[in-house]
Amino acid sequence: HLFLKDGRTLGLKGANGQILLDGRELTRVDLNGAIEVTFADYVMRTEHATYDHQQRVISTPGAVEISGRALQVRGDRMEVNVETERLTLEHHVSMQIQPALFKQGGSNAPL
């Protein structure tokens, strides 16, 4: 688990991983195989993901699925800007929402 500055946690698991360092500084993390990221009430699944520390960007060059209690989103590529917490899905994006399951202002609010 990664612990964020605001106290939230980010769970991360995958079959293989490689961490690249420049001295003691993290530069890049590559993950492969059955990757699962958990954050709040959401789970992201993909087969390959890269974190570029200098650009503070997490990217997936292949298909990705994000699911929560009330929604499921899919796309062929994803990029997350860690600084702005902005997630972008590209190519063949689809979304399924179950509005009745969203709590107004609750932890299951949209991304």
Side-chain angles (χ1 to χ4, degrees), residues 36-98:
E36 188 172 287
V37 179
T38 55
F39 183 70
D41 293 327
Y42 298 97
V43 178
M44 184 207 69
R45 293 180 179 89
T46 190
E47 286 298 314
H48 179 80
T50 299
Y51 171 63
D52 182 320
H53 184 67
Q54 183 176 2
Q55 294 187 6
R56 308 269 296 155
V57 169
I58 300 168
S59 60
T60 66
V64 63
E65 177 183 298
I66 301 169
S67 57
R69 191 175 88 161
L71 68 83
Q72 187 170 47
V73 183
R74 298 172 193 233
D76 286 350
R77 184 180 187 286
M78 179 189 76
E79 188 171 283
V80 178
N81 183 311
V82 175
E83 288 292 317
T84 63
E85 296 183 11
R86 182 180 175 136
L87 180 144
T88 305
L89 284 170
E90 299 176 352
H91 307 294
H92 302 104
V93 176
S94 65
M95 180 168 63
Q96 182 178 14
I97 300 174
Q98 297 178 9

